[in-house]
Amino acid sequence: MLELAIAMDSTRQDLRITTIVVAATFVIVFLVVRAVEHNSVILNGYSAVLYCAVMSIGLQWLGWIPASIGKTERFYDLTGGLTYLIVVGFSLWAGSQSEPPSLRELLVSVLTVIWSLRLSSFLYRRIHRTGKDGRFDELKTSPIRFLVPWTLQGLWIFLTMIAVIVINSQAGSAVAFGIWDGIGLSIWILGFGIETVADHQKTVFNTEPNNQGKWIDSGLWSYARHPNYLGEILLWTGIAFFGVACFTGLERVAWISPIFIYLLLTKVSGIPILDKRALEKWGDSPEYQEYRENTPALIPRLSKKS
């Protein structure tokens, strides 16, 4: 009876937390959609931006169903990557109902597709190599609790892509390609390069048998503890720059994209979680304490401390 009571209490708590997360997600998405949709193409009485929001979350919920049944996170990242591709394609098609896609629309779409294919395939291979993702160990044991990361992934997709969605789905003639777009492309290339190199260096490091149980402190990782996150923030900042010339009024709310990514990765689910795990593993190691003290979390020093 005691075990049953504990289980019931746990289920109620899971339901309460999940309800809060889902409700907060819907409120955030609704407010962002209402802010940026005034110049969007209208399809069957609704803005293309709203359709993209529904797809971003709805596809994650579809993925959650078999994942919760199988209690697996193996296809979490792959589902996210596929959603990016679907939303990019839909927003580009929606905008074409007003006029043919502009160079800006085609370019931001291609950049998003390149990033999505690389990152989702990288994460998919990593989880199948390691067998699991430790972040989901406790979440996947309860279908209700497991809905939280799938819902948050939908929110992540929509907010990171909001600049692309607005650019692609705008009605009317596109503003000419200009200097701000060139700046955005340059920042994206820099960020994508940093993220790709950092991920490759860590993969190579982890495949070496002598490095099992060690932290990486070579390559880009000798200048910052999380260079891959720096690359992620930079590339989405670059995408946001494409909106400088074409966003008007509340469409500028779409610049929330890189801000959201920065706050999430540095304050919520990225660096705080990984740093906590690292301290649990190597907190007693003087070498790790020295690495942590001398190596910035995100913004690299131009020179290393001796």
Side-chain angles (χ1 to χ4, degrees), residues 235-297:
L235 70 87
W236 285 110
T237 300
I239 291 292
F241 266 82
F242 282 92
V244 173
C246 62
F247 289 169
T248 61
L250 286 178
E251 283 181 331
R252 296 185 180 93
V253 170
W255 287 332
I256 194 177
S257 170
I259 298 172
F260 168 75
I261 293 167
Y262 172 80
L263 292 175
L264 191 66
L265 292 180
T266 61
K267 305 299 181 183
V268 183
S269 68
I271 292 176
I273 292 178
L274 293 180
D275 276 0
K276 180 181 177 182
R277 289 182 184 173
L279 286 172
E280 290 173 352
K281 287 182 179 180
W282 307 300
D284 296 331
S285 167
E287 292 82 4
Y288 178 74
Q289 290 293 349
E290 181 180 1
Y291 169 72
R292 182 180 175 85
E293 180 181 350
N294 295 333
T295 311

Side-chain angles (χ1 to χ4, degrees), residues 115-267:
W115 167 85
S116 177
L117 289 175
R118 190 211 71 85
L119 185 60
S120 60
S121 61
F122 167 78
L123 295 174
Y124 178 78
R125 290 195 304 270
R126 186 179 69 178
I127 197 171
H128 275 259
R129 184 176 63 251
T130 59
K132 68 170 188 174
D133 186 331
R135 297 173 301 172
F136 298 94
D137 285 349
E138 295 183 5
L139 293 170
K140 64 186 179 183
T141 58
S142 165
I144 298 174
R145 196 184 310 144
F146 202 25
L147 183 60
V148 169
W150 289 90
T151 300
L152 291 178
Q153 178 161 261
L155 178 64
W156 164 273
I157 292 169
F158 178 69
L159 291 184
T160 55
M161 274 196 68
I162 188 60
V164 177
I165 292 170
V166 173
I167 290 171
N168 283 353
S169 63
Q170 284 180 325
S173 299
V175 178
F177 199 85
I179 184 65
W180 289 111
D181 303 292
I183 293 174
L185 178 59
S186 299
I187 296 174
W188 186 92
I189 292 173
L190 175 63
F192 184 77
I194 291 174
E195 183 178 57
T196 302
V197 171
D199 284 342
H200 176 71
Q201 289 176 341
K202 190 170 186 179
T203 299
V204 172
F205 180 87
N206 288 334
T207 55
E208 292 290 334
N210 293 336
N211 293 330
Q212 295 301 313
K214 298 180 180 180
W215 66 91
I216 179 172
D217 57 1
S218 57
L220 294 179
W221 302 82
S222 65
Y223 293 93
R225 301 199 306 275
H226 305 279
N228 53 334
Y229 288 162
L230 174 63
E232 181 83 357
I233 294 166
L234 283 175
L235 70 87
W236 285 110
T237 300
I239 291 292
F241 266 82
F242 282 92
V244 173
C246 62
F247 289 169
T248 61
L250 286 178
E251 283 181 331
R252 296 185 180 93
V253 170
W255 287 332
I256 194 177
S257 170
I259 298 172
F260 168 75
I261 293 167
Y262 172 80
L263 292 175
L264 191 66
L265 292 180
T266 61
K267 305 299 181 183

Side-chain angles (χ1 to χ4, degrees), residues 293-295 301 303-306:
E293 180 181 350
N294 295 333
T295 311
R301 292 191 182 97
S303 61
K304 306 175 192 177
K305 281 189 175 182
S306 57

Side-chain angles (χ1 to χ4, degrees), residues 48 51-53 55-56 59 80-96 101 104-117 157 160-169 236 239:
Y51 281 100
C52 290
M55 289 179 183
S56 298
L59 290 172
L82 179 61
T83 303
Y84 275 101
L85 301 181
I86 292 174
V87 173
V88 166
F90 176 82
S91 63
L92 198 60
W93 170 83
S96 71
R104 178 183 296 106
E105 293 164 10
L106 292 173
L107 186 54
V108 296
S109 297
V110 168
L111 295 180
T112 304
V113 167
I114 291 173
W115 167 85
S116 177
L117 289 175
I157 292 169
T160 55
M161 274 196 68
I162 188 60
V164 177
I165 292 170
V166 173
I167 290 171
N168 283 353
S169 63
W236 285 110
I239 291 292

